[in-house]
Amino acid sequence: MVVDSPSEVSAEPVSAAQPRRRRSVRAVGLLAAVGVLLLVCVASIVVGAKPVPLGDVWHGLFHNSGTGNDVIIADLRVPRTLLGLLVGVALGLSGAVMQALTRNPLAEPGLMGVNAGASAAVVTAISFFGVTSLSGYVWFAFAGASVVSVVVYVLGGSRSATPVRLALAGTAATFALYGYVNAVQLLNSAALDRLRFWTVGSLANADMDTIRRVAPFIVAGIVLALLIARPLNAMEMGDDTARALGAHLNRTRVLAMVAVTLLCGAATAACGPIVFIGLMVPYLVRVITGPDMRWILPYAAVLSPALLLGADVIGRVVARPSELQVGIVTALVGGPVFIHLVRRKRMAQL
């Protein structure tokens, strides 16, 4: 009788243990990311353009009596932090879904024209319908994002749509709509004044009413994105392989576009088009998780709001007593970092 060598005997247990070890590392990393997010949330409430003592922060959170510092904490910073959480999750998940849908790790939600559609609808609402409040034009923004997503899907070939055709259709729609936005703003000073902060992306106007309006759409988008993680995994390996694995390509593409529209449309409606978050975070997350969407989506949902709120805190501090809008900070900080990481060989091979 032939006896296996020690190396042959131990090979199978080691190989079987590797996936468990990898899952454990990912789980620990996700818990660490949650801890980072909690710390950033605390910083978002404690730190601001106006310094507030820690005792007053606690009082404003749990014993709001209407004093100046209580109002700053309870009515300004808490809603701002909650909206940042929602928008960060929405941008991170929509970016991850978009990258999987187009099989392009450099893709971002704006590729589908969602941001441009929301911006065009808001400009139209302000200039031609006299809508002046955020609670009013948030619905126009969401409707614009939804309509443009449908148009891009049709222009991209509908059931015969491919990642390249969808990207080209989205790019064409984006340029056309931003041309319209710029033209209307130049001709209408009221629209320009209303949108000068919204167009760069800002959490400064956050309130509970806005959160209540966009939260149902973001929650629905989160659920939908998580449900299509498995078929998106199959689609990233190519259409033929996905079909062989039993994935329904057209249905998955439609559901992915609906998820992106719900997430990015609601986020853009609430605080304007914020760049970099939906592109950078899912891209970086792949270094930790690999290509598995079942891990990419949870990581992106945790790290994206951490990055967004961290950028918002930086914007409040660096220009005291004024502040930089979060969209400006993400662009200034993220752009050079992203270029550096793209040039790294390891990132380029993902």
Side-chain angles (χ1 to χ4, degrees), residues 18-29 295:
Q18 287 178 348
R20 290 195 297 269
R21 188 180 303 113
R22 191 178 301 114
R23 286 194 296 268
S24 298
V25 171
R26 289 169 175 170
V28 172
W295 285 98

Side-chain angles (χ1 to χ4, degrees), residues 35 56 89 124 159 179 184 186 195 214 304 321:
D56 289 355
V89 172
T124 300
R159 291 188 176 183
V184 172
L186 288 174
L195 291 173
V214 301
S304 294

